[in-house]
Structures are given as C-alpha cells and as structure tokens.
Amino acid sequence: MSESNGFYRIQKLPPYVFAVINEMKAKARAAQLDVIDLGMGNPDGATPRAVVSKLVEAARNPRNHRYSQSKGIPNLREEIVKRYQAKYGVSLDANSEAIVTIGAKDALAHLLFAVIGPGDAVVSPNPCYPIHQYGVIMAEGHACMLAMPSPEEFLNRLHDLYRTSARKPKLMLISFPHNPTTCCVDLDFHKEIIRLAHEHGSMVVHDFAYADICFDGYQAPSILQVDGAKEVAVEIFSMSKSYNMAGWRVGFCVGNAKMIGALARIKSYLDYGVFQPIQIASIIALRECDEDTRKICAVYQKRRDTLVHGLNRAGWPVTAPKGSMFLWAAIPERHRHLGSLDFAKKLMEKALVAVSPGIGFGPLGEGHVRFALVENDHRIRQAVRSIKQFLKE
C-alpha cells in the first residue's frame, strides 16, 4: 500500500518527532551507555502504598473481574465531586457532571470526537501537548493554533481572533499549568476565557493534568471556580501526576452536563471503562492521599531547583517554572541555528542526556527543548555536568 493511498486519518498525523530521540536512546542503551532520560514526562515515583494495597485486595475479588461501568463506578464519581468541593468550593453533580475516563488523553480525544464536527474551529495555545492539536485534526476539526509568549499575549491574540475571524472558534482548548511551556495563570485569566465563551457561544475544555504540581506557594485555579463556567466549560483532571498513577490510566472529565453527556454517549460505544479494582483503588487515592501528593510535589520542586541552578551555572540561562513537572528552555544562543531536533540529537550524542525537541510540540515550539523532571537529584546533577562539558566544547 503506497503512502498516497494510505489510511485516511493516519495520513493527517505527522511522524512522531520524539521517536527520533527514543530510537537514539534505545541504541545508546543497547551499547551499554548510561543515558539520563529527561525526555518523556513519565513519573518515576511509586504510587502511594495504600492505593496499591487496595488494588491488590480488590483484584482478588472475582466480582471485580467483570465489565465495569463505562462512565465509572458511582463511588469514584462521588469522590472526585467531593474533591472539587473541598479544594475549589465547586459543586458538581456526580451523576450528570462527572465521568471517569481512561486517563486524560482518552477524555480529550473522545470529547473532541463527541462535540466537534467537520471544519469546526478549535483554538489553543501553541506550542502544546500533541493530542491538543492532533485530537482536533482526527475529529475533523480545524486546529487554530495561537502563539503564547505569555498568557496575557495569548488572551490578546484570542480577542483579535474573535474580532476578525470569519470562522469563530467552536471551542477553546487550554491547559494550565501548561505543557510544555510551564506557563501558569490566575483566576482572572479563566474569568476572561469564560466571558469570551459566553459572549461568542463557544465551549471551553481545560486540561488540568498538573493541578497539584505547583511550586513556591502558587496554587493553580480550577476554571470551574469562575461563575457561569459550568454553562460552557469542562475540566479534565488526571490521577497520573498528582498520585504517581500514570500507568494506571485514570482521569475525569467534570463540568458542563451537556458535554459530559456527549462524552458518556461516545464512551458507551467505545469502552467498558477502567478495570474496576483500579477504580476502587483510585477512591483511596482521592480520599486518603493528600499528604502523598504534597510529597510528590516537593520532590519535583527540589529537582526543578537542582536543574535550574545547574543549567544557569553551566551558562545556559533558564527561569524556574511555577508549575508542571517540566522545564522549558530556550536553546543557548550559539546552538540555536541547529533547530530543536538537531540540538536534542547532539545533546543525546555528546552528553548522553535525552530531552524533548520543541518542534515536537508544534511549529511555535521551535528554538526550545523540554526537560522532564523524572530522574533523581543525583542523576540531574550528573546530566548538568555532562551538559556543561558539552556547552564548553
């Protein structure tokens, strides 16, 4: 089968840029070289013990081996609703305004399939997490990417777009703390997003994967804290980062009942939900593991400080992020001509440090690389020493 008459949707997806670095990493490791992997945002910490114990107990019960509920078991939906009430003062109905999803990616991709039609414009910041752009494209929508040098500048561009575009956005897709740029916002930013949505009849999706990974006293606001948000918006929360449960694949979509209903309808055709013991264990995470989340956050903050101080001392000027588990770094001046993919390849080859090239997050990510804080302090210091040596050469 030739490329030209290949599969319709697959043709719309570019080759995965990160695969290039992954391949180099695999080759280096096969040659017994010690690669420090700061590429993929794959949490390296253990899931809280109470959660694992509950999973084991629930997995031994044959009743839990059957199909579960596509929208998630009622007790787990109740628990996410309680969390929103306690943490954000947001009231939600567990039956109509909350659904369990197979991680945040499932929530996002299937929600877009549910609410977007051919040619509908979806606006989001660029660079962005790839599914934010390609989820729209796979759902036949029009991905409208706006540069985000800062959240304020993104809002200015959004105002211009609504004022001048013939094709008004059907949906705004945002995510703060932001991956990859680590931009953080306050509640006023969300108020303006919700005001625009009401004024222009748009929907809003806020991907809140890094809700709890905040530093230096910063607290990330939920978009649902804004008055009138539930009339136009949903928020996606994931267990992956807050509880070191990335491989468990549990997330939630909460907010606007109509959008949640559409997602539930699509999911009823596509899946039978998350394995029930995982859902039961997730209840324990939400109910009992706040202290674990604080510890996880403290680990990331310490790693962030080690990396930021180290790179600055090595002559690579970077700014400490207030949230997320990443560092977004402009490529040092004398290497900028290489572009982010070739620079990342060089870093891999010469320093044995894997990072994600900015171009993998969209055209406006060029000129940057993303570090993920997924190795311990000792390994991060080792990476910094190698990078310093590489920059000297």
Side-chain angles (χ1 to χ4, degrees):
M1 186 180 287
S2 76
E3 274 302 305
S4 58
N5 66 357
F7 301 119
Y8 172 69
R9 279 198 176 81
I10 300 304
Q11 284 180 314
K12 295 180 173 195
L13 303 175
Y16 208 49
V17 172
F18 307 119
V20 179
I21 303 298
N22 288 341
E23 209 170 294
M24 286 181 74
K25 193 168 66 190
K27 276 187 183 152
R29 283 183 170 158
Q32 306 295 300
L33 296 170
D34 180 21
V35 177
I36 300 173
D37 188 1
L38 304 174
M40 186 182 173
N42 191 1
D44 61 320
T47 304
R49 283 169 71 172
V51 182
V52 177
S53 299
K54 195 65 180 177
L55 170 76
V56 172
E57 180 197 313
R60 289 203 171 107
N61 184 342
R63 269 202 323 224
N64 293 324
H65 299 172
R66 307 170 68 180
Y67 290 129
S68 187
Q69 292 185 31
S70 168
K71 61 192 279 192
I73 58 175
N75 285 354
L76 180 52
R77 281 183 278 122
E78 283 292 348
E79 213 55 52
I80 191 68
V81 162
K82 282 182 196 160
R83 181 188 206 273
Y84 264 79
Q85 185 63 63
K87 197 168 163 79
Y88 305 112
V90 170
S91 299
L92 292 160
D93 179 86
N95 206 38
S96 62
E97 295 174 333
I99 185 171
V100 180
T101 61
I102 306 168
K105 265 190 176 180
D106 164 51
L108 198 56
H110 288 143
L111 181 65
L112 290 168
F113 266 99
V115 302
I116 293 302
D120 283 343
V122 177
V123 63
S124 56
N126 193 276
C128 66
Y129 186 49
I131 190 71
H132 287 198
Q133 183 176 352
Y134 294 106
V136 174
I137 288 165
M138 284 190 276
E140 310 267 311
H142 168 66
C144 175
M145 311 307 282
L146 291 187
M148 186 173 64
S150 71
E152 297 70 33
E153 191 49 43
F154 174 73
L155 276 183
N156 290 340
R157 288 167 197 218
L158 201 50
H159 286 134
D160 288 347
L161 181 75
Y162 272 108
R163 201 169 46 245
T164 60
S165 176
R167 182 167 20 189
K168 296 272 188 285
K170 174 92 179 265
L171 188 145
M172 289 180 263
L173 173 49
I174 57 172
S175 177
F176 297 98
H178 187 253
N179 175 13
T181 69
T182 74
C183 280
C184 292
V185 300
D186 56 18
L187 198 57
D188 283 344
F189 177 94
H190 286 324
K191 282 178 180 167
E192 187 52 23
I193 292 284
I194 296 300
R195 191 194 67 74
L196 279 170
H198 276 281
E199 186 182 331
H200 297 284
S202 302
M203 296 176 282
V204 181
V205 176
H206 181 225
D207 181 352
F208 205 22
Y210 300 94
D212 299 306
I213 312 300
C214 302
F215 313 126
D216 309 326
Y218 170 70
Q219 292 287 313
S222 160
I223 201 164
L224 298 178
Q225 288 173 269
V226 179
D227 286 344
K230 274 203 300 188
E231 291 157 34
V232 290
V234 294
E235 187 158 77
I236 293 167
F237 173 70
S238 157
M239 305 292 282
S240 296
K241 312 305 185 306
S242 301
Y243 301 98
N244 278 342
M245 289 172 68
W248 297 56
R249 309 313 302 131
V250 187
F252 303 91
C253 190
V254 295
N256 180 264
K258 202 172 167 191
M259 291 164 78
I260 299 288
L263 176 57
R265 185 86 179 271
I266 283 264
K267 278 176 68 62
S268 71
Y269 281 92
L270 291 172
D271 69 67
Y272 284 112
V274 177
F275 183 43
Q276 199 151 288
I278 290 177
Q279 295 191 60
I280 293 166
S282 298
I283 293 170
I284 299 300
L286 290 169
R287 192 182 288 164
E288 297 176 12
C289 295
D290 283 0
E291 188 50 42
D292 294 270
T293 300
R294 281 190 282 275
K295 285 178 184 163
I296 289 164
C297 192
V299 166
Y300 285 129
Q301 181 160 334
K302 195 159 179 285
R303 292 175 180 184
R304 174 204 68 166
D305 294 344
T306 302
L307 183 60
V308 167
H309 294 156
L311 288 176
N312 279 316
R313 278 202 307 273
W316 185 344
V318 293
T319 309
K322 281 197 302 184
S324 86
M325 55 185 285
F326 305 111
L327 174 69
W328 183 241
I331 296 169
E333 199 73 55
R334 34 184 291 248
H335 297 276
R336 212 160 285 169
H337 67 280
L338 290 171
S340 61
L341 182 56
D342 281 347
F343 177 72
K345 281 160 94 170
K346 241 187 173 51
L347 213 51
M348 178 70 217
E349 200 181 302
K350 307 280 189 201
L352 289 177
V353 176
V355 297
S356 295
I359 191 71
F361 301 98
L364 300 173
E366 189 48 279
H368 291 75
V369 292
R370 189 196 73 179
F371 291 84
L373 304 170
V374 293
E375 295 257 22
N376 65 36
D377 270 12
H378 165 71
R379 300 277 288 162
I380 288 173
R381 280 193 290 271
Q382 191 184 328
V384 167
R385 282 196 297 275
S386 300
I387 289 168
K388 187 176 184 178
Q389 193 56 43
F390 160 69
L391 292 177
K392 262 189 193 163
E393 286 165 13

